[in-house]
Amino acid sequence: MTLLFLLPGDPSRPGQPAPDVDREARAARAAGAQVAVTDDEALRVGDAAQAVAGVPAGPGPAWYRGRPLTGDRYTALAAALADRGRTLLTDPEQYLAAPESPADGTPSAAAAVRVWWVDGVPVLTTAHPHATADTAPLPAALPAEVATLVRRSGNRFVTADLAPGTAGAWRTLAVGDGQTGGLGPATDSETARLFEALAAAGSGFPLALTAGRLTLRALPPTECARLADGGTAGLRWVDGAPPEGTVEGAGIMVQLAAAGLYRPGWGTYAITRAEDGVALGGIGFHGPPDETGTAELGYDLSPSARGAGWATDAVRLLASWAWSRPEVRTLRAATEPANLPSQRVLERSGFVRTGEEAEMHVFEYGGYGSGAAAGTAEAVGDTADDGGAREARSLSAGNRPPS
């Protein structure tokens, strides 16, 4: 089932997106999704069936990225798409419940920043579409209450509009449906980042895996490109910058994406502390499962994060998620023979050594403990020493960095 993005059509070019959403159409296709257009005039007058007449029949999920609609018009759109086998990822009830403003009555015109949230993860922060050129810089940290408002909205795709407050603080002015929010001055790269997140979430892959003290945050290709170019991908790293293996792995992911081999869910994740979002290292796969159903996992940690069980927690969580996927038959990892700390991490995480390959010890996953699924308390929380991870050698798996 291919994910579909519904964009406004161009009346002068039947079947083509309107000029103001060409950038979004390119980003959606680059993320591996399909694009279809709606007839805005037909939607406006209430003829939803005509509005989606050019939408290919499903089955499959769809994100609406179009003009704001009244509740009854959106409900009619959902019904017309359902007749074609398509399911809106934001259903009418969620659409109607999404708008929410704080009680202080601050006018939305004061908004300076728009934050885009997908499945509870803030994936993009930009200047607000209506902000003036002299608006304050983007916030270094989001207001504490915004995540609560996003969750309360009950919507998978949300915008949160912020305004600068006193002493450098930021206030949340409004939370609304992301399907109809304007991208404004977002760059091509920022647009690609948003659509990569939407494509992954809409296809059923996680943007974040959280269990206990740990969150694994997916880094799609545009984020990996930022890391490979010497950036931080918008994350705070425990040692000030990502570890070398994570940077190299991000570069590999960029190459895979350029070759058309990237698949959502099977890339790089940042290992972060759930309490404050600080990034401790990277973990991920060397690509999607191959034709035999085999996927390979790798990871590394920043030096100051070693020795506290973070690698074990991360491997357990990601391996448990991968093992639950129907396309995976074998999950493996490889370490250098001398890297005993990494071997202990794998053994504690449910991997068993199965042989040698290219002068590396090969391990295969058989399920951790009682087979707890990713996201349960049983899958994480081992804070025992990482078996010598404080030694000078890096705590990593594989002769390639996480990708």
Side-chain angles (χ1 to χ4, degrees), residues 215-229:
T215 294
L216 303 182
R217 178 174 171 179
L219 300 178
T222 52
E223 298 283 11
C224 287
R226 297 169 73 191
L227 284 182
D229 289 341

Side-chain angles (χ1 to χ4, degrees), residues 1-5 31-34 60-63 89 118-119 156 195-207 263-266 321 325 327:
M1 295 187 295
T2 302
L3 175 69
L4 181 70
F5 281 92
Q34 192 175 13
W63 287 116
L89 288 162
V118 181
D119 282 352
R156 297 184 64 187
F195 275 78
E196 285 172 348
L198 288 169
S203 300
F205 291 95
L207 299 183
R263 298 292 181 273
W266 301 103
W321 173 80
R325 299 292 304 181
E327 62 267 46

Side-chain angles (χ1 to χ4, degrees), residues 92-327:
E93 183 178 354
Q94 293 169 328
Y95 181 81
L96 289 170
E100 180 175 345
S101 299
D104 65 6
T106 304
S108 60
V113 165
R114 174 159 284 175
V115 184
W116 301 80
W117 297 69
V118 181
D119 282 352
V121 177
V123 299
L124 180 65
T125 301
T126 65
H128 192 274
H130 302 141
T132 59
D134 58 353
T135 296
L138 299 182
L142 300 180
E145 80 276 2
V146 67
T148 300
L149 291 172
V150 168
R151 286 193 301 270
R152 192 180 300 163
S153 75
N155 199 326
R156 297 184 64 187
F157 183 21
V158 174
T159 58
D161 293 343
L162 311 181
T166 58
W170 287 81
R171 294 173 297 139
T172 305
L173 296 186
V175 169
D177 175 68
Q179 296 184 120
T180 59
L183 272 169
T187 64
D188 286 350
S189 177
E190 290 170 335
T191 303
R193 196 184 318 160
L194 175 61
F195 275 78
E196 285 172 348
L198 288 169
S203 300
F205 291 95
L207 299 183
L209 291 168
T210 298
R213 61 180 185 155
L214 179 79
T215 294
L216 303 182
R217 178 174 171 179
L219 300 178
T222 52
E223 298 283 11
C224 287
R226 297 169 73 191
L227 284 182
D229 289 341
T232 64
L235 297 170
R236 290 177 295 142
W237 294 87
V238 68
D239 288 338
E244 182 179 354
T246 299
V247 174
E248 293 175 358
I252 293 174
M253 180 49 54
V254 172
Q255 295 173 13
L256 289 175
L261 300 176
Y262 168 76
R263 298 292 181 273
W266 301 103
T268 298
Y269 294 77
I271 302 170
T272 70
R273 293 193 302 235
E275 63 177 356
D276 57 12
V278 170
L280 310 174
I283 186 169
F285 304 95
H286 298 314
D290 63 19
E291 63 278 2
T292 69
T294 299
E296 185 173 342
L297 180 148
Y299 55 88
D300 73 335
L301 283 180
S302 296
S304 65
R306 297 172 191 161
W310 290 107
T312 301
D313 285 0
V315 172
R316 288 177 181 173
L317 181 55
L318 191 58
S320 181
W321 173 80
W323 197 240
S324 72
R325 299 292 304 181
E327 62 267 46

Side-chain angles (χ1 to χ4, degrees), residues 13-86:
R13 299 182 302 161
Q16 298 299 311
D20 62 331
V21 295
D22 272 343
R23 176 182 56 181
E24 297 192 29
R26 293 194 302 270
R29 293 188 181 107
Q34 192 175 13
V35 172
V37 300
T38 56
D39 183 335
D40 276 5
E41 177 61 20
L43 275 179
R44 188 183 67 80
V45 300
D47 190 351
Q50 176 59 36
V52 301
V55 174
W63 287 116
Y64 174 72
R65 271 295 297 163
R67 320 302 184 199
L69 298 173
T70 61
D72 60 336
R73 295 289 190 263
Y74 190 86
T75 300
L77 171 66
L81 288 169
D83 288 341
R84 304 185 69 80
R86 295 288 179 178

